[in-house]
Amino acid sequence: MKSPANGPEPFLNLAGLESGRTVFDETPPERKLTPLQMRGKVLVDRLRSKGREQSGMSTASGPKIGVALGGGSARGLTHIPYIEAMDELGIKPTVISGTSIGALIGSGWAAGMTGKELREHSFEVLGTLRTIATKLWSTQIKGIGGLLRNGISMQLDATHIVDAFTPPNFPNNFSDLKIPLYVVATDFQSWHQVVFNSGPLRPAIAGSIAMPSIFKPIVHNNHILVDGAVVN
């Protein structure tokens, strides 16, 4: 099958998501809003009004909002339109928590990336199957020496995944973030959640996204970590 003239077809077409829109913004004329949708519209309008009123106000004088971003593999990309809507409203969270892909996206948000920047970066690294395959393969093969020493494992290294899918100059420590971040992972031995909010950032994220059987467990801070979505 030939590729289109303008390049390979996107694997995940994020360009179609309209920035800052909600389900309440465009309702077909022939359809009426349900009572639940009406309540949602009132809430969205109220938040937008407050966002405009408090534009330019400091976090100390404005409302304090904490945001929790859940897992869900590729479905976690739906966090991005929500972040764009928050940007449109002029609302910045006081604290962010995330588990699995929510930890990965939340770390970018906490590092200061806007919803638009998160969208563009996601489209860049997840745009085509070829891009994804190249990045995943590069995380497995770290030179001929590593291949001869370790062979090819069927499990991916989540630490290399974090390195491959985060932008350049990404923070290395929680203290480098602009918004406090809490990353949820699962302790494989006790099967309880572990929450990180200080120290090295990348291994905490790697532990949070390490889906059992697909990724190798991550050893960090005396824990053997797997995907945070296992327990939360």
Side-chain angles (χ1 to χ4, degrees), residues 187 194-200 203-204 218-225:
D187 184 292
V194 184
V195 181
F196 299 97
N197 69 335
S198 62
I218 299 297
V219 179
H220 177 55
N221 272 18
N222 298 318
H223 295 283
I224 299 176
L225 303 173

Side-chain angles (χ1 to χ4, degrees), residues 187-194 223:
D187 184 292
F188 181 76
Q189 293 176 308
S190 67
W191 223 240
H192 288 87
Q193 76 172 17
V194 184
H223 295 283

Side-chain angles (χ1 to χ4, degrees), residues 2 8 21 26 32 49 63 69 74-75 90 93 101 103 111 125 142 152 157 171 173 179 186 190 193 202 214 229 232:
K2 295 183 179 180
R21 309 297 294 177
E26 294 184 1
K32 293 183 178 180
S49 176
L69 303 178
R75 289 175 295 179
I101 191 171
V125 299
K142 295 295 181 180
I152 299 178
D157 188 324
N173 292 281
I179 301 173
T186 300
S190 67
Q193 76 172 17
R202 293 170 186 264
I214 297 177
N232 189 353

Side-chain angles (χ1 to χ4, degrees), residues 1-219:
M1 182 175 65
K2 295 183 179 180
S3 299
N6 58 349
E9 182 180 354
F11 175 59
L12 291 175
N13 188 359
L14 304 181
L17 297 175
E18 295 187 59
S19 174
R21 309 297 294 177
T22 74
V23 294
F24 310 111
D25 289 320
E26 294 184 1
T27 303
E30 66 276 8
R31 293 181 58 189
K32 293 183 178 180
L33 293 178
T34 66
L36 180 60
Q37 288 174 323
M38 286 296 296
R39 289 196 293 270
K41 186 178 187 304
V42 170
L43 177 60
V44 169
D45 291 342
R46 187 180 303 165
L47 284 172
R48 283 177 171 163
S49 176
K50 287 184 178 180
R52 286 190 292 267
E53 292 172 2
Q54 294 166 354
S55 178
M57 295 177 64
S58 67
T59 303
S61 60
K64 295 183 182 295
I65 298 176
V67 178
L69 303 178
S73 301
R75 289 175 295 179
L77 293 172
T78 57
H79 293 318
I80 295 176
Y82 169 79
I83 295 172
E84 289 180 308
M86 294 278 282
D87 291 342
E88 180 191 351
L89 295 171
I91 299 174
K92 285 192 175 296
T94 306
V95 62
I96 300 169
S97 67
T99 186
S100 196
I101 191 171
L104 186 59
I105 292 177
S107 64
W109 195 12
M113 296 178 71
T114 65
K116 180 181 179 181
E117 290 170 340
L118 286 167
R119 175 196 295 273
E120 291 174 349
H121 180 70
S122 298
F123 184 77
E124 179 183 348
V125 299
L126 298 174
T128 66
L129 282 171
R130 179 181 298 177
T131 302
I132 296 174
T134 300
K135 285 185 175 291
L136 292 179
W137 180 252
S138 68
T139 67
Q140 291 295 87
I141 305 300
K142 295 295 181 180
I144 298 299
L147 178 61
L148 294 176
R149 286 193 304 272
N150 305 318
I152 299 178
S153 172
M154 295 302 294
Q155 289 183 304
L156 300 173
D157 188 324
T159 303
H160 295 159
I161 296 296
V162 173
D163 292 338
F165 286 87
T166 49
N169 303 318
F170 194 74
N172 290 315
N173 292 281
F174 280 88
S175 59
D176 298 327
L177 298 172
K178 297 181 179 179
I179 301 173
L181 174 69
Y182 290 78
V183 171
V184 178
T186 300
D187 184 292
F188 181 76
Q189 293 176 308
S190 67
W191 223 240
H192 288 87
Q193 76 172 17
V194 184
V195 181
F196 299 97
N197 69 335
S198 62
L201 178 60
R202 293 170 186 264
I205 298 172
S208 186
I209 69 171
M211 295 176 63
S213 75
I214 297 177
F215 295 100
K216 300 175 184 177
I218 299 297
V219 179

